[in-house]
Amino acid sequence: MRRSGSTRRSGRTFRTVAAGVACGAALAALTAVPAQAHEPERRTPHWELKDSGTPEVRFRGLSAVSRNTAWLAGTAGTVLRTTDGGATWRNVSPPGAGELQFRDVEAFDAHRAVVLAIGEGEASRVYRTDDGGATWTESFRNTDARAFYDCMTFFDRRHGLAMSDPVDGRFRILSTSDGGRSWKVLPSEGMPAALEGEAGFAASGQCLVGSGPKDVWLATGGAARARVLHSRDRGLTWTAADTPIPAGDPARGVFALAFRDRTHGLAVGGDYRPDQASPQAAAHTRDAGRGWQPAATPPPAYRSGVAWLPHSRTAALAVGPTGTDLTTDGGRTWRTVDSGSYDTVDCTPGLGCWAAGEKGRVARLES
């Protein structure tokens, strides 16, 4: 999105009742009643900050591979990687990328990853590495001054998409079938017309998300209505649905999506300006995004990232500059469980949940 603001183109340790690694006893700890005096003290899952060594960088791109391995992408062309659970971080930034703003990273393992830089014209680029960031190949550079790429997602190790704000009245979609080594612009005939002022938010790398081999969803804001677009065929054709998350202003809309399968999804957002309220910052769907219901008890403020907890059908985390919220009922109600600032969150089936944000902040969920 071509506007200024902390989330355009766009705490503390998690010591209170936190969102768990969501497997068996760990998930039960989130909702369990307090232990009686004669019972041993329980350790609840919590965010544990990891020292990234980069306090000058804001990380809005995050890809969790496992509890040990994660990738970060942020300002000043910065890419970091850990393979020891965050004890140490290696700066694996692409050479000569210091002027770029990385807002999304999609990693396949500890060695292979794809990063997206945002911006107008040639500032929007994609890089890929196959050797843990030792070397990078620039696989896409936008040459259309009207395009501004926000997010990307992968269905598997080969097939992925990236999205740009509308060009000629429609969102533009890039496609790859070789793991991000090459890209092509998809035809726009199957894309609904964009609303006046409608665009995406490059706030957390979660404005374009997929589930399964072909389903993908795109989050929007900035227009009279905040919408979610859905494609069942890897971006060739799309349908659009309104959400109850407030819009009507360039700073408002849906900032992030998460789908635990092709039917059940979450949307979070609001107004990114710190002096503006976000009274309805979350919604949920049970029909693949055809209809969205507002959260009965939403997060109390703007949220820019959201992720389902592994091995749970009902628990998820939402993060933003003012805190982390937990739902244990599929997005119907949320409660704040931490006040630390994070922009994005990601979890893996291997019980690894990570969060990242401003001032080099990165944390892993610990139990």
Side-chain angles (χ1 to χ4, degrees):
M1 219 178 215
R2 299 174 174 78
R3 285 177 280 267
S4 61
S6 63
T7 58
R8 267 318 156 184
R9 301 316 211 197
S10 27
R12 304 166 184 87
T13 310
F14 197 2
R15 300 185 188 280
T16 55
V17 180
V21 286
C23 181
L27 180 58
L30 298 174
T31 53
V33 297
Q36 300 299 316
H38 63 278
E39 294 179 346
E41 182 180 355
R42 295 172 181 160
R43 291 195 63 191
T44 58
H46 59 277
W47 285 129
E48 183 174 290
L49 286 170
K50 308 292 183 178
D51 184 7
S52 72
T54 55
E56 72 284 0
V57 177
R58 187 164 197 164
F59 293 111
R60 296 187 183 277
L62 165 66
S63 186
V65 176
S66 67
R67 279 187 56 76
N68 289 326
T69 300
W71 296 69
L72 300 172
T75 55
T78 305
V79 180
L80 302 185
R81 184 193 63 150
T82 183
T83 56
D84 57 12
T88 60
W89 294 86
R90 180 184 174 193
N91 190 326
V92 295
S93 306
E99 299 300 317
L100 299 179
Q101 304 297 310
F102 289 127
R103 295 292 181 91
D104 201 352
V105 55
E106 302 290 334
F108 308 117
D109 51 40
H111 306 289
R112 292 173 288 184
V114 181
V115 295
L116 171 72
I118 67 156
E120 296 180 351
E122 293 191 3
S124 285
R125 305 179 194 180
V126 177
Y127 294 81
R128 178 185 164 105
T129 182
D130 290 296
D131 54 15
T135 61
W136 293 87
T137 300
E138 181 184 305
S139 59
F140 172 77
R141 181 179 298 206
N142 174 47
T143 57
D144 190 334
R146 301 168 298 170
F148 191 125
Y149 285 85
D150 299 288
C151 296
M152 64 180 175
T153 192
F154 276 81
F155 303 98
D156 52 43
R157 291 174 180 262
R158 294 176 52 212
H159 300 91
L161 301 176
M163 58 81 67
S164 163
D165 287 343
V167 176
D168 293 329
R170 300 175 191 272
F171 284 94
R172 175 169 288 180
I173 304 296
L174 275 183
S175 175
T176 180
S177 59
D178 56 12
R181 295 179 178 86
S182 64
W183 298 82
K184 65 178 181 180
V185 176
L186 292 182
S188 62
E189 288 77 13
M191 176 68 70
L195 304 177
E196 183 177 355
E198 191 174 28
F201 293 94
S204 61
Q206 296 177 319
C207 62
L208 185 72
V209 301
S211 180
K214 294 185 177 181
D215 284 271
V216 60
W217 294 263
L218 187 161
T220 82
R225 306 186 306 277
R227 302 195 297 174
V228 172
L229 281 61
H230 176 211
S231 171
R232 299 174 182 269
D233 53 14
R234 291 184 183 162
L236 293 176
T237 60
W238 298 79
T239 56
D242 293 345
T243 76
I245 293 178
D249 185 278
R252 298 178 192 151
V254 178
F255 281 70
L257 299 168
F259 277 78
R260 68 171 173 80
D261 52 39
R262 67 181 308 273
T263 301
H264 298 84
L266 302 170
V268 300
D271 191 319
Y272 76 78
R273 295 170 294 190
D275 61 340
Q276 297 295 314
S278 294
Q280 185 51 264
H284 57 95
T285 180
R286 294 189 225 174
D287 59 8
R290 288 189 295 275
W292 291 86
Q293 292 74 47
T297 305
Y302 155 75
R303 295 294 182 250
S304 56
V306 63
W308 289 94
L309 294 176
H311 308 293
S312 173
R313 298 178 62 83
T314 58
L317 293 172
V319 300
T322 62
T324 298
D325 303 291
L326 166 72
T327 180
T328 56
D329 56 14
R332 289 184 288 277
T333 62
W334 297 82
R335 57 191 171 104
T336 302
V337 291
D338 180 65
S339 59
S341 175
Y342 298 101
D343 292 315
T344 186
V345 59
D346 193 24
C347 295
T348 74
L351 306 183
C353 286
W354 297 79
E358 62 181 342
K359 299 180 180 179
R361 287 173 58 86
V362 58
R364 189 179 69 174
L365 202 64
E366 304 289 352
S367 60

